[in-house]
Amino acid sequence: MKQWGEIIQVPLPLPFALKMINAYIIKGSRGCTIIDTGLHTEEDLEMWKQAQTEYGWNWKDVEKIVLTHYHPDHYGLAGTLQELTGAPVYISETDKIQARIFLDRESDMPEIMADFYSKHGLDKEWTAKISGHLRSFYRWVEPHPRPSLIGAGDTIQLGDREYTVYHTPGHADGHLSFFDPERGWLIGGDFLLPKITPNISLWPRCNPNPLKTYLDTLEKMKDLPVKKVFPSHGRVFEHYRERIDELKRHHEERLQKMKEWIAQADGATAFEVCTYLFGTSLSIHNLRFALAETLAHLEYLRLSGELNRMEEKEKFVYHLS
């Protein structure tokens, strides 16, 4: 754990590729604010208890729980922590809805996702694993919180400081970041990460062009006078504008690489492009994200007129325009 003034970083273990998420506790004169929660696992609960012991606070001190977005590693313990603290949980309206679409036991999204991936070339062996894999997350996010809503332009008190709420979509449709204009500190969730690129994925029932949205978000946010970024993965960093430029170049290079390969292949499904980019030795978890990221790029190219998409033998195939 590390501390910057009143902000304490709490590293929480994850049982999949990222290995760790940074949650934060912000101490103030009226109590503490938790930013993101980790998964509902014994390991993550123990880390929160360790943070209490090391930094001198307890559940009754928590005045609010704030979520950058609905993905399980950020949202999963929110309901449990709400029960332990009695504190309100804040999230964007979009992500409140999408949490239920993706993480509610009554949702048909697991079957919709399996069919979606099948149409984009995923073979039957992998497709059969999709719905079970998605349902395996339920145990990590229950009970669901009873959330209150915040959104872009709002101000919210975190500790003893007023932060401005920014809508920073792309990684998640309702993703929020929190900016302290006095110090230039940004609590950025998965909007901007120091080393890895935030996953930009295309999902059914969500934003049809998430990569364009993310690139627009980078452009919109680049002139914000940020001096320090507190990310959800990786170290706290200061090279804010340089990192934005790096991410823009990364996506430009990937788009160009895709176009060149599709031209050479004379057409390909999203799964074939995914295999070209990410290889074949992926777990079902990593494959799901790799294919969704590939689709975000392919749909960006299609919607900008650089690719066509045709249905061939009940599969979508992308061709250079």
Side-chain angles (χ1 to χ4, degrees), residues 7-168:
I7 300 180
I8 300 161
Q9 185 184 76
V10 183
L12 302 170
L14 300 173
F16 38 78
L18 284 173
K19 302 298 184 186
M20 196 76 65
I21 175 178
N22 299 323
Y24 295 91
I25 184 84
I26 304 178
K27 301 183 79 171
S29 58
R30 297 187 300 184
C32 301
T33 296
I34 288 174
I35 308 290
D36 291 333
T37 67
L39 297 171
H40 188 177
T41 65
E42 286 301 318
E43 292 82 2
D44 285 8
L45 276 169
E46 282 303 313
M47 282 301 296
W48 281 116
K49 293 173 184 176
Q50 183 178 330
Q52 292 176 352
T53 300
E54 288 190 21
Y55 291 97
W57 59 281
N58 55 50
W59 295 130
K60 68 179 178 58
D61 296 326
V62 177
E63 60 173 350
K64 62 172 71 75
I65 299 162
V66 180
L67 305 178
T68 57
H69 59 296
Y70 77 93
H71 291 164
D73 51 333
H74 300 255
Y75 173 96
L77 255 178
T80 298
L81 295 190
Q82 188 171 43
E83 291 178 350
L84 291 169
T85 64
V89 172
Y90 293 93
I91 194 171
S92 70
E93 182 174 16
T94 296
D95 276 17
K96 173 188 174 183
I97 293 167
Q98 292 193 354
R100 291 295 182 166
I101 289 174
F102 283 92
L103 301 172
D104 193 287
R105 287 181 182 269
E106 303 304 314
S107 174
D108 59 352
M109 182 55 77
E111 287 71 36
I112 290 172
M113 288 278 283
D115 182 65
F116 177 71
Y117 283 135
S118 177
K119 292 287 287 185
H120 283 285
L122 190 64
D123 61 41
K124 291 181 179 179
E125 178 185 354
W126 282 109
T127 302
K129 299 178 181 180
I130 292 294
S131 61
H133 172 65
L134 288 170
R135 288 196 164 87
S136 72
F137 281 80
Y138 296 157
R139 69 187 188 276
W140 288 333
V141 301
E142 293 174 335
H144 290 274
R146 302 176 306 282
S148 302
L149 301 181
I150 49 173
D154 290 346
T155 58
I156 187 168
Q157 186 167 332
L158 307 178
D160 291 330
R161 292 179 175 270
E162 292 290 329
Y163 284 69
T164 303
V165 181
Y166 282 86
H167 182 212
T168 49

Side-chain angles (χ1 to χ4, degrees), residues 122-268:
L122 190 64
D123 61 41
K124 291 181 179 179
E125 178 185 354
W126 282 109
T127 302
K129 299 178 181 180
I130 292 294
S131 61
H133 172 65
L134 288 170
R135 288 196 164 87
S136 72
F137 281 80
Y138 296 157
R139 69 187 188 276
W140 288 333
V141 301
E142 293 174 335
H144 290 274
R146 302 176 306 282
S148 302
L149 301 181
I150 49 173
D154 290 346
T155 58
I156 187 168
Q157 186 167 332
L158 307 178
D160 291 330
R161 292 179 175 270
E162 292 290 329
Y163 284 69
T164 303
V165 181
Y166 282 86
H167 182 212
T168 49
H171 176 72
D173 292 354
H175 192 291
L176 300 176
S177 298
F178 306 94
F179 181 62
D180 172 7
E182 183 178 347
R183 294 182 295 188
W185 289 13
L186 182 75
I187 299 173
D190 284 347
F191 155 60
L192 201 68
L193 305 176
K195 286 193 174 181
I196 64 173
T197 58
N199 178 264
I200 310 300
S201 287
L202 181 75
W203 310 112
R205 295 186 183 175
C206 296
N207 185 341
N209 198 351
L211 180 56
K212 181 180 187 305
T213 296
Y214 183 62
L215 295 174
D216 289 347
T217 297
L218 293 176
E219 188 66 24
K220 175 188 77 173
M221 293 290 286
K222 72 176 184 179
D223 291 329
L224 200 68
V226 173
K227 296 179 181 178
K228 193 183 295 291
V229 181
F230 295 81
S232 291
H233 306 282
R235 60 182 177 80
V236 172
F237 66 99
E238 298 176 353
H239 58 291
Y240 176 74
R241 291 190 184 181
E242 294 89 340
R243 186 58 180 147
I244 285 176
D245 289 338
E246 288 172 359
L247 287 169
K248 290 168 71 174
R249 286 195 299 273
H250 164 80
H251 288 293
E252 289 167 1
E253 291 167 1
R254 175 158 288 176
L255 290 165
Q256 184 61 33
K257 187 176 182 180
M258 284 185 174
K259 286 193 297 182
E260 290 174 356
W261 190 79
I262 288 171
Q264 181 180 348
D266 194 25

Side-chain angles (χ1 to χ4, degrees), residues 292-319:
E293 171 115 1
T294 301
L295 278 162
H297 287 73
L298 291 172
E299 284 297 289
Y300 175 91
L301 291 169
R302 183 181 73 85
L303 293 169
S304 65
E306 298 182 69
L307 293 180
N308 292 322
R309 188 184 73 190
M310 294 179 282
E311 189 165 351
E312 302 174 10
K313 298 180 180 178
E314 300 184 342
K315 307 288 183 186
F316 289 125
V317 178
Y318 290 88
H319 294 271

